[in-house]
Amino acid sequence: MNKKLTGLFLGAGASYEAGLPVVWELTGEIRDWLTPEKLRELNKGWRSQGTGCSDEVIEDFVSVLVMPDAHYENMLGYLETQYRRKRERQNEYRLLYSWMVELVYVLLCQRQIKNDVFLRRKIGYFEGIRFMAEENTPLWVFSLNHDVVIEAIAAHYSIPINFGFSDEQVSLPCRGANGKVKGRLNAQVLRRDTLDNCAMFFPNPAVEGIYLLKLHGALDVFAFNDGADLLKLMPVGEGFEGVTEALRAVNEDVFFPEPASPNGRANIMNEIAYADDEGVMQFLRRSLLAGAFKFSDANTQVLPKSLLKHFRANINFLSKLVCVGYGFGDNHINVIIREWLEFSDSRSLEVVGPAASVPAFLMHVAPQVTVVQMVATDYFDLVAGVTRPRCDELDKKVSAVVRSRGRAQAKADLAAFGKQESERYKQLHIESLARIYEDGKGTAVGDVLKEYVPIAVDDEEATLERMLSFIEARVKESEAGRKA
């Protein structure tokens, strides 16, 4: 194995340009939907079904829900803390915690499933990962992200990818609305005793491609066999669409028919209940790990805690680690990175992000740390030596400024720009026709079309230039309005 390997460590910022939210954006989506009034109404419904929480617990959580400086991980951490403190209310705090984790899963999953059109346009900006995979055998990728962006990139560029799971597979029945089996969904298996006592199944000697280790669970990883083992979905078809289709299928087509249920299926919080081939109810437990007590000895979690030791072991294959889009907010991760860096002065860390800096806990090894203040895709272009045309650069800038506006304001901005463009084209058409007929003699229809078509089909670069200028002007207006 090459002793001078560079690996990637990915935080939420690494997936942002692929359409996935960072922590504050996701928090905003949660707050937009889960208002205090909405939570109180939901709790009334839960109570009518024999569960739910007391007003005391709901109002306690509301006090955190409305705190502007608390993101969703802080909210989950608060529920975990109250669960430990309030023994007489433990079940209620556990209910709220599980429900919030499921909400996070649903929001992320829907964003990923419905993201194919956007991802198809943006996935080319991650081409530098293919270069890194060619330069490093293997390219170790450690990720805190729940999404399947790296899997999608690997599928798109035909990069071999290994997850450390065994060759053993299970097959899940997919059902139609009538409950009849209509297909199969395959998954790789990783047994708990392997995770706890053995090495994972990453090929050794090393082979070309990506070795991916997800440390905080994933949308497509579930615990099964009463939580004893893990499975990871396999793609359904070629290309990145096959990755997202598997995710859609497990959430929509794998279920246990329940005619009395409002949606015709059994619903279990944070789990997928499904009927196996004998019609027996089985369970897939979602693996997302969130909150303030990840991998804590005092906390239980679906994802095996022994997974962390595999990160600690496998990071030692690297001489350089590139942290992309990670805010260094997880102490259990930071300790391992710090100890890895402290072990040898021949090891180096590169911190990549728009506002990246040397983390305070690494100041004692600062000479080994390099800061690159770039977004993820610009960094990948840099290491791969890719030069982008002006159109691509404009597209990335437009995407960034639109998303910075928030969902509602972005929608208003784009609608206003569309109206402006419509008026612009209308005026150009009028002026064009006026020039054609200005001699008073008129002209053939074919000559009119020759003038008309080039105006109607404007080039993308010019449109993006106008869009960027338009939205940036609206940003300045908004800022001026706030200061006034």
Side-chain angles (χ1 to χ4, degrees):
M1 180 178 286
N2 181 3
K3 294 182 180 180
K4 296 290 184 181
L5 287 179
T6 294
L8 289 172
F9 187 95
L10 306 180
S15 294
Y16 182 75
E17 292 168 277
L20 276 297
V22 292
V23 63
W24 282 109
E25 185 177 353
L26 183 57
T27 301
E29 291 182 22
I30 291 172
R31 281 206 177 99
D32 286 345
W33 182 79
L34 187 62
T35 62
E37 294 74 20
K38 179 79 171 181
L39 179 59
R40 294 179 186 117
E41 284 300 314
L42 287 168
N43 191 47
K44 289 180 182 178
W46 296 335
R47 283 179 177 175
S48 69
Q49 297 169 13
T51 58
C53 303
S54 64
D55 291 342
E56 174 190 341
V57 170
I58 291 295
E59 295 308 316
D60 184 30
F61 182 49
V62 164
S63 69
V64 178
L65 184 63
V66 299
M67 289 176 59
D69 295 331
H71 54 63
Y72 79 88
E73 292 257 32
N74 301 141
M75 297 175 194
L76 288 168
Y78 182 78
L79 293 172
E80 291 174 295
T81 300
Q82 292 296 79
Y83 169 82
R84 295 179 179 188
R85 291 171 173 168
K86 310 284 187 179
R87 293 189 177 275
E88 72 282 4
R89 299 292 187 187
Q90 279 188 335
N91 289 339
E92 297 175 51
Y93 282 106
R94 177 181 292 167
L95 171 69
L96 277 178
Y97 174 84
S98 298
W99 183 80
M100 279 290 292
V101 172
E102 184 173 61
L103 177 60
V104 169
Y105 180 96
V106 169
L107 289 173
L108 288 174
C109 189
Q110 288 301 309
R111 179 78 75 99
Q112 185 80 79
I113 290 171
K114 297 178 179 179
N115 200 38
D116 280 1
V117 173
F118 184 88
L119 187 56
R120 186 176 296 110
R121 181 181 178 92
K122 305 295 183 181
I123 201 165
Y125 298 148
F126 292 86
E127 185 180 4
I129 291 180
R130 175 172 63 178
F131 170 83
M132 295 186 73
E134 291 170 350
E135 293 294 306
N136 296 274
T137 301
L139 174 63
W140 280 97
V141 179
F142 307 106
S143 178
L144 301 184
N145 299 333
H146 310 306
D147 58 62
V148 294
V149 170
I150 287 295
E151 292 93 326
I153 291 168
H156 179 74
Y157 286 110
S158 299
I159 305 170
I161 186 166
N162 290 281
F163 308 102
F165 282 58
S166 70
D167 292 333
E168 180 186 357
Q169 295 183 16
V170 294
S171 179
L172 306 172
C174 295
R175 300 179 185 274
N178 59 3
K180 302 289 186 181
V181 175
K182 65 176 184 178
R184 314 292 300 185
L185 186 59
N186 297 324
Q188 291 178 275
V189 172
L190 183 60
R191 298 293 177 184
R192 177 68 69 101
D193 59 357
T194 297
L195 262 176
D196 290 347
N197 304 307
C198 308
M200 295 177 70
F201 294 93
F202 291 110
N204 189 15
V207 298
E208 292 183 359
I210 292 172
Y211 285 12
L212 177 61
L213 185 59
K214 290 191 168 182
L215 301 169
H216 286 174
L219 298 175
D220 63 342
V221 172
F222 300 86
F224 74 116
N225 282 345
D226 292 327
D229 304 313
L230 297 178
L231 64 79
K232 181 175 176 64
L233 303 180
M234 300 174 71
V236 179
E238 299 297 321
F240 75 83
E241 294 91 346
V243 175
T244 53
E245 172 57 21
L247 193 56
R248 184 209 62 78
V250 77
N251 283 280
E252 297 181 11
D253 299 339
V254 177
F255 62 91
F256 188 92
E258 184 59 73
S261 172
N263 63 355
R265 58 184 66 194
N267 301 296
I268 310 245
M269 192 173 296
N270 249 339
E271 299 185 17
I272 296 174
Y274 72 97
D276 64 17
D277 292 318
E278 283 71 45
V280 177
M281 182 180 285
Q282 305 292 346
F283 302 93
L284 301 177
R285 297 179 184 174
R286 295 186 172 99
S287 66
L288 264 62
L289 191 56
F293 299 96
K294 307 179 188 79
F295 292 99
S296 168
D297 289 338
N299 190 48
T300 59
Q301 60 186 58
V302 172
L303 201 67
K305 293 178 182 177
S306 55
L307 189 68
L308 204 59
K309 76 177 183 181
H310 294 281
F311 172 46
R312 186 183 294 276
N314 292 321
I315 194 176
N316 288 316
F317 287 113
L318 306 179
S319 59
K320 179 179 179 180
L321 182 67
V322 181
C323 287
V324 183
Y326 173 47
F328 295 95
D330 289 295
N331 188 58
H332 57 284
I333 298 295
N334 297 345
V335 168
I336 293 174
I337 292 176
R338 189 199 72 210
E339 291 175 351
W340 169 80
L341 203 55
E342 289 172 340
F343 184 79
S344 170
D345 60 8
S346 65
R347 292 175 173 175
S348 63
L349 178 72
E350 205 159 56
V351 182
V352 180
S357 61
V358 179
F361 72 93
L362 292 178
M363 288 304 298
H364 64 297
V365 286
Q368 294 170 251
V369 182
T370 303
V371 172
V372 182
Q373 293 187 334
M374 287 183 176
V375 296
T377 59
D378 285 349
Y379 176 81
F380 295 138
D381 281 349
L382 177 68
V383 298
V386 174
T387 302
R388 296 275 169 195
R390 173 66 175 163
C391 191
D392 284 355
E393 295 300 328
L394 286 168
D395 179 50
K396 291 166 71 172
K397 288 179 179 178
V398 167
S399 292
V401 71
V402 166
R403 289 185 68 182
S404 72
R405 298 282 276 164
R407 182 171 293 184
Q409 188 57 58
K411 186 176 181 180
D413 289 344
L414 293 174
F417 177 72
K419 183 177 180 180
Q420 175 181 285
E421 286 292 279
S422 177
E423 290 299 318
R424 175 180 176 275
Y425 282 122
K426 180 180 177 181
Q427 186 60 37
L428 286 173
H429 296 159
I430 292 171
E431 293 173 359
S432 176
L433 290 171
R435 288 196 304 273
I436 292 171
Y437 283 94
E438 65 184 359
D439 59 2
K441 297 178 181 178
T443 187
V445 172
D447 294 332
V448 174
L449 291 177
K450 288 178 183 178
E451 290 284 331
Y452 182 91
V453 173
I455 293 171
V457 186
D458 204 347
D459 69 276
E460 184 177 12
E461 183 175 324
T463 302
L464 288 169
E465 289 273 16
R466 290 194 302 274
M467 185 183 292
L468 182 61
S469 297
F470 180 86
I471 298 176
E472 285 180 338
R474 286 173 68 94
V475 170
K476 290 179 181 178
E477 289 176 6
S478 298
E479 292 174 348
R482 285 194 294 268
K483 292 178 181 178

